Amino acid sequence: MALITETYLRAQLIKGLANPFPVTEGDKLTPAAADFLKERGIRLQRVASEPSGTLPPNFLPVGVSNRHVHLAPHHIDMLFGNGYRLTPLRELSQKGQFAAVETVAVKGPYGSLSNVRILGPLRGATQVEISRTDGFELGVHPPIRLSGDLADTPGITLVGTKGTVTLNEGLIIAKNHVHASPEEAQILRLNHGDRIHVQAMGERSIIFADVIVRVSPQYSLDFHIDRDEANAAHLTTGDTVQIISKNAERRLR
Amino acid sequence: MALITETYLRAQLIKGLANPFPVTEGDKLTPAAADFLKERGIRLQRVASEPSGTLPPNFLPVGVSNRHVHLAPHHIDMLFGNGYRLTPLRELSQKGQFAAVETVAVKGPYGSLSNVRILGPLRGATQVEISRTDGFELGVHPPIRLSGDLADTPGITLVGTKGTVTLNEGLIIAKNHVHASPEEAQILRLNHGDRIHVQAMGERSIIFADVIVRVSPQYSLDFHIDRDEANAAHLTTGDTVQIISKNAERRLR
């Protein structure tokens, strides 16, 4: 027995919807779901109940990252004064990570962004993560990279309360990715380095293709996207998306 | 004989990449394409040349719509003075449509957007199209709709040189869609009302699922998306995307 919604049907589109569409005893369709099938000329077919225990839905929670900065120790000294320590504002989904009370201004050749949040703890290298939309505002167009992959990225200027830092590199647009602990990865049958297709299931059923999975005891389950991706897919932190395929070799059925 | 690029391989991921991957005599791989296969543990297999005349690539040109306004005749009078006529600035991809020299300010409950372009010619009902990002700036969150479908949409305030109009409805986020003339649709084997999956093939290989196809002699071939979708998929007007499946019944292979 299941409640079949338009959102569910829309998420199934990529795999193809059978015509007639099988519904088991006790299944209910929402009026929007019934319209959705009718619009496409898909009829309903009553079938016997399936045994339970078939594949579980593969859902991932969404974490939307707004523009932010990770600082190296020598840069925090230059921006806020020698020996300055960040004040945690709130914990983030990944263990030990926090949003700080402190912010910086980010200045580009064309414009600037004020009140850009600093995330802690400190890192070995300073990294500034913006969206493509932010890049148009700043007048700089960084590549799409995974965190930490800073070779051949552009620099940018940061302004703190006590000083200014002009970076030679470190500005990126974050590449979307999935974080998972080993236990979570096992439940979802994911391995470190897997590349998956993930679909938003709301009003804008975008599919994120070739999303990299990163597994570590430090991680908690999260599908990390930036604000442009969130707005394009109509997603908000705490929404869920569905894994619809895994790795290139596995064909979508 | 073909040049196999990383972009091409990335676009094929949704269908699955064979392992070993077949290459015919004369095919060349770019270094990035070779790395792409190697990273995934996919080997190469030389095979005899295929007969030519297999499925043509199904490409669509991209048109990115920034926020804009379509005005009804009585509203242009209120905003710019009685009998005012728009001055065309440049032609748009769709026949007879133009961007006007004139702009309005759009005022929401939270903030406002200045210099929002008016598109001509005039329409029966005033319609304001924004992105979700713009909605956060204005403080209003309209639904995602196809052009003209304005029932139960929120209103907004427009400010011109001679006056102000407060709409009761007409604010939408545009639903992405494909425009095609009957001739273009025939070449691409598309019909009015088809729902297709379309993939961006650049650094961000997003798939737009369930995109509606609209065919009319008034139309020219274009895949219309808004600025959020363009930034999330790293697309710009004039880029191309690929049709990767058509309608729910056809399974992806």
Side-chain angles (χ1 to χ4, degrees):
Chain A
M1 183 177 138
L3 179 69
I4 298 170
T5 63
E6 186 197 349
T7 298
Y8 170 80
L9 293 173
R10 202 172 281 283
Q12 301 305 310
L13 272 184
I14 185 72
K15 307 186 207 169
L17 285 171
N19 188 0
F21 183 79
V23 287
T24 58
E25 214 180 331
D27 282 357
K28 286 190 179 165
L29 275 85
T30 64
D35 286 352
F36 185 87
L37 293 176
K38 204 172 157 193
E39 269 177 24
R40 288 164 178 74
I42 299 175
R43 287 170 296 109
L44 292 179
Q45 183 179 37
R46 296 270 157 204
V47 298
S49 300
E50 277 185 38
S52 63
T54 46
L55 270 185
N58 288 336
F59 290 126
L60 297 172
V62 173
V64 181
S65 293
N66 209 340
R67 63 185 82 108
H68 63 269
V69 175
H70 301 278
L71 290 176
H74 64 294
H75 286 148
I76 197 165
D77 289 353
M78 292 165 71
L79 292 166
F80 294 96
N82 277 335
Y84 191 89
R85 296 190 59 168
L86 295 173
T87 307
L89 174 68
R90 63 168 191 280
E91 286 187 4
L92 300 177
S93 65
Q94 301 305 309
K95 295 175 195 92
Q97 306 284 310
F98 62 90
V101 170
E102 292 81 0
T103 63
V104 289
V106 177
K107 289 181 90 166
Y110 177 80
S112 64
L113 301 165
S114 55
N115 302 319
V116 177
R117 188 68 58 196
I118 299 172
L119 302 191
L122 301 182
R123 291 200 180 180
T126 293
Q127 175 172 308
V128 182
E129 301 182 35
I130 63 170
S131 69
R132 195 185 186 215
T133 297
D134 294 334
F136 286 114
E137 198 120 341
L138 294 172
V140 59
H141 303 289
I144 293 164
R145 293 286 180 84
L146 284 173
S147 187
D149 179 12
L150 304 182
D152 301 318
T153 58
I156 197 79
T157 297
L158 306 180
V159 183
T161 53
K162 293 283 168 61
T164 291
V165 168
T166 297
L167 303 170
N168 292 321
E169 64 173 29
L171 184 69
I172 63 171
I173 298 175
K175 182 169 166 52
N176 58 37
H177 56 273
V178 170
H179 280 157
S181 70
E183 297 72 29
E184 290 160 342
Q186 194 175 16
I187 291 167
L188 289 160
R189 297 178 204 172
L190 295 176
N191 295 303
H192 185 76
D194 276 351
R195 287 155 183 274
I196 62 178
H197 281 60
V198 161
Q199 182 163 25
M201 296 172 301
E203 280 194 281
R204 279 182 155 172
S205 50
I206 272 179
I207 298 164
F208 297 93
D210 205 31
V211 174
I212 295 180
V213 176
R214 305 177 94 184
V215 179
S216 156
Q218 307 303 322
Y219 292 158
S220 307
L221 192 64
D222 230 346
F223 172 48
H224 273 191
I225 55 177
D226 75 10
R227 194 147 287 284
D228 284 340
E229 294 173 311
N231 286 341
H234 235 258
L235 291 170
T236 303
T237 293
D239 285 349
T240 52
V241 290
Q242 191 173 16
I243 302 172
I244 58 166
S245 87
K246 198 180 126 184
N247 293 336
E249 291 81 2
R250 223 187 261 189
R251 282 155 193 273
L252 296 176
R253 289 313 309 255
Chain B
M1 184 176 136
L3 178 68
I4 298 169
T5 63
E6 187 198 348
T7 298
Y8 170 80
L9 293 174
R10 202 172 281 285
Q12 301 304 310
L13 272 186
I14 185 74
K15 308 187 207 168
L17 285 170
N19 188 2
F21 183 79
V23 288
T24 59
E25 214 180 332
D27 282 356
K28 286 190 179 164
L29 275 85
T30 64
D35 287 352
F36 185 86
L37 292 176
K38 204 172 157 193
E39 268 178 24
R40 289 165 177 73
I42 300 175
R43 287 169 297 108
L44 292 179
Q45 183 179 36
R46 295 271 157 203
V47 297
S49 299
E50 279 185 36
S52 62
T54 46
L55 271 185
N58 288 335
F59 290 125
L60 297 172
V62 173
V64 181
S65 294
N66 209 340
R67 62 184 83 109
H68 64 268
V69 175
H70 301 277
L71 289 177
H74 64 293
H75 286 148
I76 197 165
D77 290 354
M78 292 164 71
L79 291 166
F80 295 96
N82 277 336
Y84 190 89
R85 295 190 58 168
L86 294 173
T87 307
L89 173 68
R90 64 169 191 281
E91 287 186 5
L92 300 178
S93 65
Q94 301 305 309
K95 295 174 194 92
Q97 306 284 309
F98 62 90
V101 171
E102 291 82 0
T103 63
V104 289
V106 176
K107 289 181 91 165
Y110 177 79
S112 64
L113 302 165
S114 55
N115 302 318
V116 178
R117 187 70 58 198
I118 298 172
L119 303 190
L122 301 182
R123 291 201 179 178
T126 293
Q127 176 172 308
V128 181
E129 300 182 34
I130 63 169
S131 69
R132 195 188 188 212
T133 297
D134 294 334
F136 285 114
E137 199 120 340
L138 294 172
V140 58
H141 303 289
I144 294 164
R145 292 286 179 84
L146 284 173
S147 188
D149 179 13
L150 304 182
D152 301 319
T153 58
I156 196 80
T157 297
L158 306 179
V159 183
T161 54
K162 294 282 167 63
T164 292
V165 168
T166 296
L167 304 171
N168 291 321
E169 63 173 29
L171 184 70
I172 63 170
I173 298 174
K175 181 168 166 54
N176 58 37
H177 56 274
V178 171
H179 279 157
S181 71
E183 297 73 28
E184 290 159 342
Q186 195 175 16
I187 291 167
L188 288 161
R189 297 178 204 170
L190 294 177
N191 294 303
H192 186 76
D194 276 351
R195 287 155 184 272
I196 62 179
H197 281 60
V198 161
Q199 183 163 26
M201 295 172 302
E203 281 193 280
R204 277 181 157 172
S205 50
I206 271 179
I207 299 164
F208 296 93
D210 205 31
V211 174
I212 294 180
V213 176
R214 306 177 95 185
V215 179
S216 157
Q218 309 303 322
Y219 292 158
S220 307
L221 192 63
D222 230 347
F223 172 48
H224 273 191
I225 56 177
D226 75 9
R227 195 146 286 283
D228 284 340
E229 294 173 311
N231 286 341
H234 234 258
L235 291 170
T236 303
T237 293
D239 285 348
T240 51
V241 290
Q242 191 173 15
I243 301 172
I244 58 167
S245 87
K246 199 180 124 183
N247 293 336
E249 293 81 2
R250 224 187 259 188
R251 282 156 194 273
L252 297 176
R253 286 317 307 255

